[in-house]
Amino acid sequence: MRFWSMSPERSRPRTLLSWLFVGALFVLCGVLGIFQYRLIGEVSDAARERLRGSLRASLNRFSSDFNSELSTAARAILPVNPADAREVEAALPARYEQWKTAARHHQVFRRIAIAIPQESALVLRTFDLNTGAIEAADWPESWSLLKHRLEGMVWPEDRGWRPPGPPPERDALVFEVPVFGSPRPGPPRPPFSRREIAWVLFEANTAYVRETLLPEMLQRDLADYQVAVVTKTNPPQVIYESDPDDARKISGSADASVSFFDVQVDSRQPGPPNRGRGPGGSGPGFGPAPGSGRWQMFVRNRAGSLEAVVARARRLNLALTTGVLLLLLASVAALIRFTQRAQKLAELQMGFVAGVSHELRTPLAVIHTAGYNLQGKMAQNPVQVERYGALIQKESGRLKDLVEQVLRFAGAEAGRVIHEPEPLSVESVIDDTMESSKAVMDESHCVIEKAIEPGLPLILGDPMALKHALQNLLSNAAKYGAKGGNWIGIFASKATDHGRTMVEIRVADRGPGIPADEQAQIFDPFFRGQRAVQDQVHGTGLGLNLVKKIVEAHGGTIRVKSEPMKGAEFIVRIPEAAGVSG
């Protein structure tokens, strides 16, 4: 008897082509991965520059808006074209009240004062923001730098006035706006031809700026960033922190910074504030120097530094790309694997068809021949008639078993493994199975040893299906274990599996055993071991697969234990019938 199978010579080219295709696909995916890595790097660099540019624009806009807010307020409060310091004092309360009524941020200033040059001293007169009264006062200690600078502008010869250059150190909270009178007679006095008759001094209300103005402006321009604002004094003074509980200092790991609080107001010209003036607002034509401003703001992205944000996005893109490539490779590998399994299954099915064809042809041919012989003179010979009758019975039984097995397999594939289960005694099922298998056992000259533990619980099952499963195990033991002493053992006992009470049935033989590399496949459909093929043992490769499906349909398990030349033992466990006593 020969079973059809694809020769290794014919299948080797297909396998080689499959692996060549897989290798080429891996190389292609590697090339695509390299190109994708470079592309993601370029995109990340572009994203980094775009984020930096956007952040720089936001910082510049914030600085301009903040400076404009204070400049507009100072411009609105300043008297228009006063003749002297007395007119400044007279007009200031009304201008302030008018501005306070219309301004949204009328609490931005904590203190307003007027500095008036008189003979050899600067007189300070403070303006009460609540009552509108103006009275003389001593210069606050915190305004000493401002006083010294203004004195140098009034008496340059005595105080060392120098032409405009790098801006001098300025107060962190106070800025001055000069008020000009009519031009002096005589030659122009540097740097301008009009003299300052007074200075209006504005001190920022840091509490209001910290709690209201800065949060409002930052929410509009820099909502995604942590912010710290400090003065440029030595040591710096903290004005505002968006995250005061963050242990990391924003200034030490800032993505960018900007200077602001550089108020520019030209009191000589009507209209909006002049943004093209130099520090202090003391003359035209000098734009703000880069980095000018009393305060410095440091910003850092809330998700980390810009580099970290870009790196995180890059890693995410790389992970997604790698995942897609790996998914593609896994899909192809799975497809190739499924194709190989389908090819192997097709080969097994072809072998099954060939085997079934042979198994069908042999008993049919024997029955046909025996029937033909019985039509002749042998029909008058009782001995021959009896012999041919026994032969016909035997071969028709083989044919019946084969058809029944194929039909059961078809039913199992359709989900009809067992019929209505009922409480069963394992001992009765075993006895019925041994009775049905008596002819096979006698033919193989096997001795059956049976041992059943008394008092076994009942099981819930289909008696015909269980009988077929046990009969298949006994038949296999007779086929493959006959060379090991013609002994077959069938035992039943009580067992426990994960806390459940089970009935364990073991069918053992003393044959050559099952090779270790085949034990994981013996329950697959159409599989036949190498020894069965070589020894031309009758079979279809469906028996053990049917046994496994029947046992599992009863909620049980089956496994095999075998060692070379020490026989094989099949262990079946089926749960007891709950609530049914034996």
Side-chain angles (χ1 to χ4, degrees):
M1 179 178 66
R2 296 182 59 189
F3 292 94
W4 180 91
S5 64
M6 181 177 289
S7 64
E9 290 76 12
R10 295 179 59 186
S11 61
R12 189 177 296 113
R14 294 186 180 182
T15 305
L16 181 61
L17 287 176
S18 299
W19 285 113
L20 286 176
F21 176 73
V22 173
L25 185 63
F26 269 92
V27 172
L28 179 60
C29 288
V31 172
L32 289 177
I34 293 174
F35 280 114
Q36 188 70 14
Y37 179 82
R38 292 180 177 178
L39 178 61
I40 290 176
E42 294 176 1
V43 172
S44 299
D45 293 340
R48 183 186 302 110
E49 294 304 318
R50 184 175 65 254
L51 288 174
R52 285 177 177 172
S54 175
L55 177 59
R56 176 53 55 188
S58 297
L59 291 177
N60 291 337
R61 182 170 58 252
F62 170 86
S63 176
S64 176
D65 291 346
F66 186 91
N67 294 337
S68 177
E69 183 74 33
L70 297 187
S71 300
T72 302
R75 177 71 178 174
I77 295 172
L78 285 179
V80 179
N81 296 324
D84 53 27
R86 288 192 299 273
E87 290 191 12
V88 174
E89 288 190 32
L92 185 62
R95 297 281 295 181
Y96 176 78
E97 287 300 324
Q98 183 181 2
W99 167 78
K100 182 178 179 180
T101 303
R104 180 182 177 188
H105 299 291
H106 60 272
Q107 302 179 46
V108 72
F109 297 125
R110 174 176 174 268
R111 184 160 47 182
I112 298 176
I114 304 173
I116 305 172
Q118 293 181 0
E119 297 180 357
S120 60
L122 276 175
V123 176
L124 183 67
R125 297 181 65 80
T126 59
F127 172 63
D128 192 317
L129 302 183
N130 295 320
T131 65
I134 298 177
E135 56 186 16
D138 295 331
W139 282 86
E141 181 66 26
S142 59
W143 289 11
S144 58
L145 279 175
L146 174 63
K147 178 184 177 184
H148 179 72
R149 184 157 49 84
L150 294 180
E151 288 175 345
M153 297 172 65
V154 177
W155 300 281
E157 296 83 0
D158 300 332
R159 308 300 169 95
W161 182 88
R162 292 187 300 273
E169 185 177 358
R170 292 176 288 175
D171 301 85
L173 305 177
V174 143
F175 67 92
E176 79 281 1
V177 178
V179 181
F180 294 92
S182 58
R184 281 185 183 178
R189 168 177 171 267
F192 306 109
S193 61
R194 296 180 65 183
R195 63 184 178 87
E196 296 91 341
I197 60 174
W199 285 269
V200 179
L201 313 179
F202 298 88
E203 181 176 345
N205 184 351
T206 53
Y208 181 80
V209 170
R210 179 188 304 113
E211 297 170 5
T212 304
L213 183 58
L214 281 178
E216 178 183 309
M217 298 181 67
L218 292 172
Q219 182 63 31
R220 182 181 62 211
D221 295 325
L222 298 162
D224 296 331
Y225 291 86
Q226 294 176 311
V227 176
V229 177
V230 298
T231 64
K232 289 188 175 182
T233 56
N234 189 15
Q237 174 187 351
V238 177
I239 300 295
Y240 173 81
E241 283 183 316
S242 61
D243 299 86
D245 296 332
D246 195 336
R248 300 173 300 167
K249 292 297 182 182
I250 298 176
S251 58
S253 58
D255 293 321
S257 65
V258 68
S259 297
F260 66 107
F261 198 170
D262 186 19
V263 182
Q264 309 292 333
V265 180
D266 188 351
S267 61
R268 300 169 301 175
Q269 303 293 335
N274 181 1
R275 299 187 182 181
R277 298 185 44 77
S282 59
F286 300 98
S292 63
R294 293 170 174 79
W295 295 351
Q296 187 83 8
M297 182 170 69
F298 299 91
V299 297
R300 179 179 62 200
N301 196 292
R302 292 189 179 277
S305 65
L306 286 182
E307 294 291 338
V309 172
V310 173
R312 189 179 300 113
R314 182 176 184 178
R315 288 194 299 270
L316 179 60
N317 289 335
L318 285 174
L320 291 175
T321 302
T322 303
V324 171
L325 290 177
L326 291 178
L327 181 61
L328 176 62
L329 291 175
S331 300
V332 173
L335 179 61
I336 292 176
R337 179 175 176 81
F338 292 152
T339 302
Q340 290 177 341
R341 292 184 62 182
Q343 181 179 350
K344 183 178 179 180
L345 181 60
E347 294 176 3
L348 291 174
Q349 289 175 339
M350 291 299 296
F352 166 74
V353 171
V356 168
S357 299
H358 178 83
E359 293 290 336
L360 288 173
R361 187 179 297 112
T362 300
L364 287 176
V366 171
I367 292 172
H368 178 77
T369 302
Y372 176 80
N373 291 336
L374 287 174
Q375 292 179 356
K377 296 180 179 180
M378 290 186 181
Q380 299 177 2
N381 188 339
V383 177
Q384 292 294 337
V385 170
E386 184 177 355
R387 186 168 68 87
Y388 280 118
L391 184 62
I392 292 173
Q393 183 182 12
K394 175 184 175 183
E395 294 301 326
S396 62
R398 285 180 55 191
L399 185 61
K400 171 181 170 293
D401 292 340
L402 177 62
V403 172
E404 182 180 356
Q405 191 172 58
V406 173
L407 291 177
R408 277 190 174 273
F409 177 78
E413 288 295 303
R416 300 186 300 272
V417 183
I418 61 175
H419 298 288
E420 291 295 329
E422 59 186 58
L424 297 174
S425 167
V426 172
E427 184 174 5
S428 64
V429 174
I430 293 175
D431 290 341
D432 291 345
T433 303
M434 292 178 62
E435 182 65 26
S436 301
S437 304
K438 184 177 181 181
V440 176
M441 298 298 107
D442 292 342
E443 184 180 355
S444 61
H445 306 289
C446 288
V447 177
I448 299 180
E449 178 183 348
K450 183 182 75 170
I452 299 177
E453 181 180 314
L456 290 179
L458 299 180
I459 61 173
L460 198 64
D462 179 356
M464 294 302 297
L466 287 175
K467 177 181 173 182
H468 180 85
L470 293 179
Q471 190 172 350
N472 190 286
L473 293 178
L474 288 175
S475 176
N476 282 348
K479 290 179 184 178
Y480 302 106
K483 297 180 181 179
N486 293 352
W487 175 89
I488 297 174
I490 181 167
F491 312 100
S493 60
K494 188 176 180 180
T496 302
D497 189 358
H498 295 90
R500 294 190 307 168
T501 301
M502 313 284 286
V503 176
E504 181 178 275
I505 304 172
R506 293 179 291 124
V507 178
D509 64 65
R510 294 173 180 171
I514 302 172
D517 58 341
E518 294 182 358
Q519 292 182 18
Q521 300 173 273
I522 59 174
F523 295 107
D524 294 342
F526 313 119
F527 178 80
R528 303 201 71 210
Q530 189 68 25
R531 184 177 290 110
V533 176
Q534 291 176 353
D535 295 345
Q536 295 188 356
V537 179
H538 295 289
T540 60
L542 299 179
L544 289 178
N545 179 258
L546 271 174
V547 173
K548 183 174 186 292
K549 289 182 177 180
I550 291 172
V551 171
E552 290 180 347
H554 285 82
T557 61
I558 182 172
R559 60 188 177 92
V560 64
K561 184 170 65 174
S562 177
E563 295 182 16
M565 308 310 299
K566 291 186 178 181
E569 183 179 32
F570 288 87
I571 304 171
V572 176
R573 286 187 174 184
I574 299 176
E576 70 169 342
V580 180
S581 61

